[in-house]
Amino acid sequence: MTSALIEARGLVKHYGDFVAVDDISFDIREGECFGVLGPNGAGKTTTIRMITATSPVTTGELRVAGLDVKEAPRQVKAVLGVVPQDDNLDPDLLVRQNLEVYARYFGLSRDEVRQRIDEALELFQLDDRATSNVDDLSGGMQRRLTIARALVNNPQVLILDEPTTGLDPQARHLVWQQLRLLKSRGVTMLLTTHYMEEATHLCDRLVIMHRGKILVEGRPYDLVAELVGPQVLELRLPPWERDALLAEFPQGDGVTVEQVEDLTYVFGGGTASAMAAERVGDPHRAHLRPGNMEDVFLLLTGRGLLD
């Protein structure tokens, strides 16, 4: 078992009477990618703001690399690399200059700065754009530059707050590839994302938050197996046909049925789901597919929009 680089115990954050984070506990181990998932307003970004010592903890214990964030906020910030939700690059500076200015906050020597910037630009395939204006970069390139900037201080933990939001599929997969490479090199990462596929690809473990609380914690594939099962049956049938088909499923045998508008989801149906899909014979009306993290997420947090 590797040591924990981030330890949270009974973490609470109040904004007046509003409880944004409500008594959560978790560990992030050295060398792993740990995911924090949840709908908007779940408390993900508030949790990150406490970890990065940019918002004070109301109650509870929070340690980063052995440092108490309440007692040593400056030292905590020095061991973190942070990729915010929105790119906050300086458009008045060239690509390389953005990294050089950021590096000055950490008291690095010129030789260290030069080497680390070269490595970061090469890693994210931006070395040929080092003298470009930031505004001349595509959205995907700007996002990769923001991640590269977070690596300049050689952080112990890389904080990634929705790192691929707004990227096209090609750019997103390139970022995933580079993040997997960083993880293979032993970089510890904390990831928040709304992309369930991203969480499945990158996270060793994750938690799902809702209304400030942690609902579940585990490895992505374990959570899918435990809460959803290997296969999900999706039915697009008129009510009379759907009800007749569902009546043939065994009752009280771990089968869960969820109705969302005109679409019916059947979880845990096993052989009965396979037989039902075969009987209908039309994948547009009865589709049997593998369970996934999005199923887990929606089962736990609901399918309605939250303000």
Side-chain angles (χ1 to χ4, degrees):
M1 180 69 68
T2 56
S3 59
L5 277 182
I6 296 179
E7 303 170 271
R9 296 290 181 272
L11 197 59
V12 176
K13 177 65 180 182
H14 288 177
Y15 292 106
D17 294 332
F18 175 68
V19 182
V21 174
D22 189 2
D23 190 19
I24 67 173
S25 300
F26 59 89
D27 291 329
I28 300 178
R29 302 165 189 159
E30 186 175 358
E32 76 172 340
C33 180
F34 186 87
V36 180
L37 311 183
N40 291 330
K44 307 184 302 297
T45 297
T46 299
T47 300
I48 284 182
R49 288 176 57 82
M50 287 189 286
I51 291 172
T52 57
T54 56
S55 183
V57 174
T58 302
T59 61
E61 298 181 7
L62 180 58
R63 304 183 71 84
V64 177
L67 301 166
D68 189 320
V69 296
K70 296 178 184 178
E71 299 176 357
R74 289 176 63 88
Q75 292 92 323
V76 166
K77 292 177 182 179
V79 302
L80 298 177
V82 181
V83 179
Q85 286 186 20
D86 300 314
D87 295 326
N88 55 359
L89 302 166
D90 191 331
D92 296 325
L93 300 177
L94 303 179
V95 166
R96 189 178 188 91
Q97 290 173 336
N98 265 271
L99 305 188
E100 290 172 342
V101 169
Y102 182 79
R104 292 176 187 171
Y105 291 107
F106 300 95
L108 303 174
S109 69
R110 288 188 177 183
D111 288 341
E112 285 180 301
V113 170
R114 186 180 305 109
Q115 178 183 349
R116 292 183 184 180
I117 288 177
D118 288 345
E119 291 174 351
L121 290 176
E122 182 180 2
L123 176 66
F124 284 93
Q125 301 180 19
L126 293 168
D127 43 329
D128 61 337
R129 304 302 297 268
T131 58
S132 297
N133 292 311
V134 168
D135 285 341
D136 292 336
L137 302 181
S138 67
M141 288 181 177
Q142 291 188 22
R143 200 61 182 147
R144 281 148 50 197
L145 180 58
T146 302
I147 300 174
R149 184 186 61 183
L151 296 173
V152 168
N153 63 315
N154 194 24
Q156 289 184 257
V157 183
L158 181 61
I159 308 289
L160 300 150
D161 195 2
E162 299 183 23
T164 62
T165 296
L167 299 187
D168 60 43
Q170 290 87 352
R172 184 179 305 130
H173 279 269
L174 178 59
V175 170
W176 290 356
Q177 176 185 340
Q178 305 310 321
L179 292 178
R180 285 194 298 267
L181 178 60
L182 289 173
K183 188 158 75 77
S184 72
R185 295 179 178 179
V187 176
T188 303
M189 292 184 281
L190 169 58
L191 171 73
T192 75
T193 180
H194 286 299
Y195 296 113
M196 298 300 108
E197 184 184 7
E198 181 166 279
T200 303
H201 273 295
L202 297 177
C203 294
D204 299 292
R205 293 184 303 125
L206 58 83
V207 296
I208 295 179
M209 294 185 65
H210 188 46
R211 302 189 188 280
K213 291 184 174 293
I214 290 177
L215 301 182
V216 70
E217 176 180 342
R219 298 187 300 179
Y221 289 106
D222 290 345
L223 294 176
V224 172
E226 177 185 351
L227 299 174
V228 176
Q231 292 183 312
V232 177
L233 177 64
E234 295 181 358
L235 299 174
R236 294 176 175 84
L237 300 173
W240 63 268
E241 188 177 357
R242 176 201 63 209
D243 293 345
L245 193 67
L246 293 179
E248 300 181 17
F249 279 74
Q251 301 298 312
D253 194 26
V255 178
T256 301
V257 178
E258 185 177 6
Q259 186 68 39
V260 183
E261 301 295 338
D262 62 339
L263 184 60
T264 305
Y265 297 90
V266 181
F267 304 98
T271 302
S273 288
M275 293 175 61
E278 184 176 357
R279 186 177 303 115
V280 174
D282 182 352
H284 296 288
R285 303 174 69 236
H287 177 47
L288 189 64
R289 60 165 176 81
N292 56 46
M293 272 304 303
E294 186 164 316
D295 295 317
V296 173
F297 184 89
L298 293 173
L299 275 174
L300 292 174
T301 64
R303 297 179 185 271
L305 292 175
L306 299 175
D307 296 328

